[in-house]
Amino acid sequence: MYTRVSLSIATLLGLSAVCTPASAATYSVDCGTNGSTSLVQSQLAAITGTHNALTVTGTCSGDLQLAAMDSLTISGLSMTGTLSLSAATHIGLQGVTISGELLATDHSSLTVANSTVNGVVQLMHETSGTFSNLAVANWVDPGTGTASSGIVCEMSSECSFSNTNVSGVPSGDVTTPSIGIQAVSASRLNFTSGRINGFDWGVHVWNNATAFFNPYCANLSIDSNRSIGVEVRDGGVVKLEGSPAGSGCAAANVIISNNGNYGMLAEGGGLGFLYLAQITGHALDGLLIQDGSVVKVRSTSVDRATSTGLSAAVRSDAHLWFNEETAGPTAGSTLAGPVCVTSDSSVDTNNSSTVVRETSRCP
């Protein structure tokens, strides 16, 4: 059942509803145990005005749609199904648990805090979303038997995450890898703290999207993914840049570790930037830069790959660039192994003390 537990200000003052629209009301819905989300949907249909709040108790089952709504906060919702937002603006989700999908599209805007999604978070079509204290646990689709991505930000959307942990499982099919975070098609993603682990690929940035991984006061980890930590390609830009100690905080590093074959793979014109990163525990290359891509590195350590003995490989008209900016030329990065460089590619240590041992013997 659902009830309206407080009246609008206009009603309390006894003013005519014709003259003053209802606003700032609080509502509640109780789904009971695995009750239908139609109870919540009916309450949403009855809400008028803006700046309303809806509290949901119990556990709900089924899909739920928020279309063309404005300035609504939903708290306590626990549901199995898809929660979809379409042209819904200024939507707040507090303390929600979704087993399924959170989908926001068509210029929606939302803020999500202290919540869990056991499934997929997808923002598309110029949607904006801000997420804090979020846990995304990827699951195997019962219909297809395959694992999917954890977070997808696409089609010119703006997506920001802090204190977010994204965990998943490999898909079992190399042609359809599971991916922790995807930034796609001119979208912009910011990820300031948390962990991404357990997928086939940790991060995938492509088709002119831009992704920033900028931890502050705490390390950010991309680790234990089956084959790739970070891939950037097709005009994508990814910046993985920690922060030095200061303002009462210890240094915050980007940790890229134990991701199967590659720590970072840049190809097809992708651009990568690394600062205060630690790249360890990969079989083939800590860094693989190829096919017209460029990677710039500052104050970063890259260990020796366990299978090839290389720290990096640069090939097929690619470029690896060490530049310490204002800290140069005495500061530098450390490479435990040599860098394989083919004749059509290059490595530059301009404004950096980094020592690169080059080899043309590329596996």
Side-chain angles (χ1 to χ4, degrees):
M1 60 178 295
Y2 61 87
T3 58
R4 182 177 179 178
V5 298
S6 68
L7 299 178
S8 69
I9 295 174
T11 302
L12 291 172
L13 295 176
L15 299 178
S16 168
V18 175
C19 297
T20 305
S23 62
T26 302
Y27 302 84
S28 67
V29 176
D30 181 13
C31 281
T33 302
N34 297 323
S36 173
T37 52
S38 62
L39 295 169
V40 183
Q41 197 74 65
S42 295
Q43 179 63 91
L44 290 172
I47 292 176
T48 59
T50 59
H51 303 291
N52 295 294
L54 173 64
T55 299
V56 183
T57 55
T59 56
C60 311
S61 180
D63 297 338
L64 187 62
Q65 298 180 346
L66 279 69
M69 302 193 73
D70 181 48
S71 301
L72 172 69
T73 298
I74 299 176
S75 302
L77 172 66
S78 179
M79 63 172 288
T80 299
T82 297
L83 173 58
S84 59
L85 285 67
S86 177
T89 55
H90 305 103
I91 303 300
L93 301 177
Q94 301 279 344
V96 305
T97 300
I98 300 169
S99 296
E101 182 176 10
L102 172 57
L103 171 64
T105 186
D106 296 333
H107 304 274
S108 293
S109 61
L110 70 159
T111 301
V112 181
N114 305 315
S115 296
T116 298
V117 177
N118 297 310
V120 182
V121 175
Q122 185 170 14
L123 282 70
M124 57 194 300
H125 295 301
E126 300 183 26
T127 287
S128 62
T130 300
F131 300 79
S132 60
N133 301 320
L134 176 69
V136 179
N138 186 240
W139 91 129
V140 176
D141 188 318
T144 64
T146 60
S148 61
S149 295
I151 293 172
V152 183
C153 182
E154 61 181 326
M155 300 179 186
S156 302
S157 294
E158 181 92 14
C159 312
S160 297
F161 298 86
S162 63
N163 193 26
T164 294
N165 293 314
V166 189
S167 60
V169 295
S171 70
D173 184 348
V174 295
T175 63
T176 57
S178 65
I179 302 172
I181 292 183
Q182 290 198 70
V184 186
S185 301
S187 291
R188 179 183 172 100
L189 182 140
N190 291 272
F191 194 102
T192 60
S193 55
R195 183 185 182 195
I196 305 151
N197 73 292
F199 297 85
D200 288 304
W201 303 353
V203 173
H204 188 208
V205 182
W206 64 292
N207 195 18
N208 300 303
T210 301
F212 298 88
F213 294 82
N214 303 112
Y216 181 70
C217 289
N219 291 341
L220 185 159
S221 183
I222 303 169
D223 69 277
S224 307
N225 298 288
R226 190 181 66 85
S227 59
I228 301 172
V230 178
E231 183 184 36
V232 58
R233 61 178 300 164
D234 299 340
V237 178
V238 62
K239 292 191 174 185
L240 302 110
E241 301 189 344
S243 56
S247 301
C249 288
N253 298 292
V254 177
I255 310 297
I256 303 174
S257 63
N258 303 315
N259 297 291
N261 292 329
Y262 308 110
M264 172 184 277
L265 168 59
E267 59 184 350
L271 299 177
F273 298 82
L274 293 165
Y275 174 53
L276 291 177
Q278 298 174 10
I279 302 176
T280 63
H282 300 97
L284 300 182
D285 298 295
L287 302 173
L288 173 57
I289 305 118
Q290 60 186 10
D291 302 331
S293 294
V294 176
V295 171
K296 177 185 175 183
V297 181
R298 292 190 289 156
S299 301
T300 287
S301 62
V302 186
D303 77 346
R304 181 192 298 265
T306 58
S307 176
T308 64
L310 299 172
S311 283
V314 190
R315 60 194 187 196
S316 301
D317 197 26
H319 184 60
L320 174 59
W321 177 29
F322 295 91
N323 189 325
E324 293 294 326
E325 298 184 355
T326 58
T330 58
S333 295
T334 58
L335 304 172
V339 176
C340 165
V341 187
T342 59
S343 60
D344 56 1
S345 299
S346 58
V347 174
D348 185 2
T349 57
N350 177 49
N351 197 35
S352 171
S353 65
T354 302
V355 175
V356 178
R357 291 176 291 138
E358 292 189 33
T359 176
S360 60
R361 297 182 62 184
C362 299

